[in-house]
């Protein structure tokens, strides 16, 4: 099922179940997607964003909420931190399954081979391949150093 359709179905289900917090989070997801749709319409793309872009939006939302939750915890606002963490759970429902460490290593090796990378100067091309194929499935903040180490050791 297309990602947008899954999100719409989940929103309708949350309305039926009167799950207020879940519904609020799904509406935030829809708003972020619509904002991006409007931005790409200005660039001449009337179809809106593709699923890969929606996955990037969702990944960014998760990252923002993790940072907020950490800040709230440090500030002693555990109630707000819990709310952010609950939103992460809802958002992650729409993201693909995270890759294991072994699968991530294999993906990095495959991307290095695909690009023909042999030095650290090729890191950007390797990361572009990984982001194109695995958006939402891996933490690129953790993958970056892995790619750097792999290219430095080649």
């Amino acid at each position: 099922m297309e990602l947008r359709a899954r999100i719409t179905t989940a929103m309708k289900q949350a309305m039926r179940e009167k799950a207020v917090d879940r519904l609020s989070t799904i509406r935030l997801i829809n708003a972020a997607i619509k904002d991006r749709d409007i931005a790409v319409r200005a660039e001449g793309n009337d179809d809106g964003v593709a699923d890969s872009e929606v996955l990037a939006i969702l990944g960014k939302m998760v990252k923002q909420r993790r940072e907020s939750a950490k800040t709230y915890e440090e500030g002693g606002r555990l109630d707000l931190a819990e709310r952010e963490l609950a939103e992460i759970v809802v958002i992650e429902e729409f993201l693909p399954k995270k890759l294991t460490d072994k699968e991530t290593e294999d993906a990095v090796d495959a991307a290095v081979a695909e690009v023909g990378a042999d030095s650290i100067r090729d890191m950007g091309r390797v990361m572009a391949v990984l982001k194109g194929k695995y958006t939402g499935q891996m933490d690129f903040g953790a993958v970056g150093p892995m790619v750097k180490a792999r290219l430095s050791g080649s």
Side-chain angles (χ1 to χ4, degrees):
M1 184 187 287
E2 184 184 314
L3 193 52
R4 287 174 189 254
R6 282 181 43 212
I7 293 169
T8 303
T9 303
M11 186 168 71
K12 290 177 184 176
Q13 186 67 30
M15 285 179 187
R16 277 189 226 110
E17 294 173 358
K18 296 186 180 7
V20 178
D21 292 338
R22 180 175 166 75
L23 179 61
S24 172
T25 302
I26 295 171
R27 284 184 170 151
L28 287 173
I29 292 169
N30 266 337
I33 294 169
K34 286 180 183 175
D35 282 347
R36 190 69 188 120
D37 281 343
I38 290 168
V40 297
R41 268 193 221 120
E43 299 166 6
N45 182 352
D46 292 336
D47 297 333
V49 294
D51 275 359
S52 61
E53 182 80 17
V54 173
L55 289 174
I57 291 167
L58 294 175
K60 184 177 178 183
M61 291 177 78
V62 168
K63 183 179 178 186
Q64 289 170 335
R65 276 152 186 77
R66 281 200 176 106
E67 291 170 359
S68 296
K70 182 180 175 191
T71 303
Y72 288 141
E73 285 174 7
E74 290 170 357
R77 294 296 310 265
L78 298 180
D79 56 327
L80 295 175
E82 287 175 15
R83 181 179 173 99
E84 295 292 325
L85 295 173
E87 286 184 4
I88 289 172
V89 170
V90 174
I91 295 167
E92 285 182 336
E93 288 177 27
F94 304 105
L95 289 171
K97 179 183 80 64
K98 295 282 186 205
L99 297 178
T100 64
D101 291 341
K102 175 69 174 129
E103 290 171 330
T104 301
E105 289 175 24
D106 292 345
V108 168
D109 291 341
V112 168
E114 180 180 329
V115 171
D118 57 2
S119 74
I120 197 72
R121 285 178 281 162
D122 298 318
M123 184 170 171
R125 295 186 322 157
V126 172
M127 292 299 288
V129 168
L130 291 171
K131 286 183 180 183
K133 291 182 179 180
Y134 300 104
T135 298
Q137 293 180 286
M138 59 174 63
D139 176 14
F140 291 104
V143 171
M146 186 185 298
V147 170
K148 189 174 187 177
R150 169 81 165 75
L151 294 176
S152 298
S154 294

